[in-house]
Amino acid sequence: METGAEVTLRLRYVSGVSPSKWLRVWGERRPDLPLEAIVVDEAEQLAGILAGEADVAFVRLPVDTEGLHAVALWEELAVVVLPKDHPLAEAESLTLADLEGETTAPVQPEAAMTIELVAAGTGHAIVPHSVARLHRRKDVVAIPVTDAAQTQISLVWRQDRDDADIQEFVAVVRGRGAKSSRGSADDPPPMKPAKAAKLAAAERRAAAAKSGEGKGKGGTSKSGARGGRPAPRTGAGAKQRSRRRGR
């Protein structure tokens, strides 16, 4: 926490974490203490905390938590990023065995660069689902790898900086009210792997369906009729209406 003309709570977070909702809640709850949020490279995710340049950080495990408080938040499903024309690109899910013999793209300092190499055809990359979604492109697909190791996001801060302001921010992140005690039993558990895989597959299907909307003038409307006209009514109800009209 900075001292001087303006005091701020300094937050660092890795790619794939979206802190906007917590920034909004914090701004409403603590307008007296602005929150400074800066994204950092995964390789440097603890640097600011250890140097005293940041107060709290969202990190991707594993990290060395000696001298730190750490609160586990959620698990991230692993996905494989493949070129869109890859023979496995249509699969709903894959296993590590399915990827045996497949070339791995050179890992770059930034995930976006690695995924760009995947798009260029240099191989595949296994990354957290949140990272693949952040850097999604039209020329690659992300497919859940059901038996790949998951990653976990945690909130960390130094043990010697365990003050009321940081505890209030922890409460905001964990969804507790201003008067809730820490460690509430109501904290949501991490998403199960099977549910996360289904969610990722559903997102892919929804994206594919959306890309196919509006093609052609003779498409089928929500009512099941073509050309935008309502479908003709049939059945007993239609016959009764016809008799009332003298047909």
Side-chain angles (χ1 to χ4, degrees):
M1 194 174 302
E2 295 178 345
T3 59
E6 183 179 11
V7 179
T8 62
L9 188 66
R10 300 164 298 177
L11 169 68
R12 303 295 181 262
Y13 62 98
V14 292
S15 175
V17 175
S18 178
S20 57
K21 59 182 177 182
W22 300 307
L23 293 176
R24 182 176 63 253
V25 174
W26 182 261
E28 295 171 352
R29 182 183 293 191
R30 292 294 306 274
D32 61 306
L33 183 59
L35 184 60
E36 171 198 80
I38 299 176
V39 64
V40 295
D41 293 336
E42 194 167 323
E44 302 295 327
Q45 58 184 338
L46 285 183
I49 289 287
L50 298 178
E53 298 170 354
D55 303 304
V56 288
F58 290 104
V59 300
R60 182 170 287 114
L61 301 187
V63 297
D64 182 4
T65 58
E66 183 178 358
L68 301 174
H69 288 295
V71 174
L73 297 176
W74 66 87
E75 293 178 334
E76 300 175 298
L77 176 73
V79 298
V80 59
V81 182
L82 297 167
K84 197 170 185 178
D85 58 356
H86 192 280
L88 298 175
E90 296 299 323
E92 289 288 331
S93 63
L94 294 168
T95 65
L96 292 174
D98 295 325
L99 299 171
E100 285 185 5
E102 295 288 336
T103 304
T104 302
V107 178
Q108 303 298 304
E110 296 182 9
M113 297 170 60
T114 301
I115 293 175
E116 185 172 349
L117 290 180
V118 171
T122 64
H124 71 275
I126 295 180
V127 300
H129 182 215
S130 61
V131 174
R133 183 169 51 193
L134 178 66
H135 301 297
R136 60 182 177 270
R137 304 166 50 115
K138 294 181 179 180
D139 47 5
V140 300
V141 296
I143 302 172
V145 183
T146 56
D147 58 349
Q150 293 186 321
T151 50
Q152 187 174 64
I153 297 296
S154 289
L155 183 66
V156 302
W157 64 98
R158 286 168 50 172
Q159 292 179 355
D160 59 3
R161 280 284 292 105
D162 193 13
D163 59 27
D165 291 331
I166 289 181
Q167 281 303 318
E168 188 168 3
F169 181 73
V170 174
V172 167
V173 171
R174 303 186 76 176
R176 299 198 297 269
K179 297 182 180 180
S180 298
S181 61
R182 77 164 81 178
S184 169
D186 295 331
D187 294 335
M191 186 179 293
K192 300 296 183 182
K195 183 176 180 181
K198 289 181 180 179
L199 177 62
E203 288 181 352
R204 292 182 61 231
R205 288 194 297 270
K210 186 175 181 180
S211 65
E213 288 180 356
K215 293 183 178 181
K217 296 182 179 180
T220 302
S221 68
K222 291 182 180 180
S223 63
R226 299 180 65 83
R229 294 185 179 182
R233 302 192 180 200
T234 60
K239 292 179 180 179
Q240 292 176 358
R241 284 189 293 274
S242 297
R243 286 196 294 270
R244 288 198 297 268
R245 295 171 183 169
R247 295 180 182 176

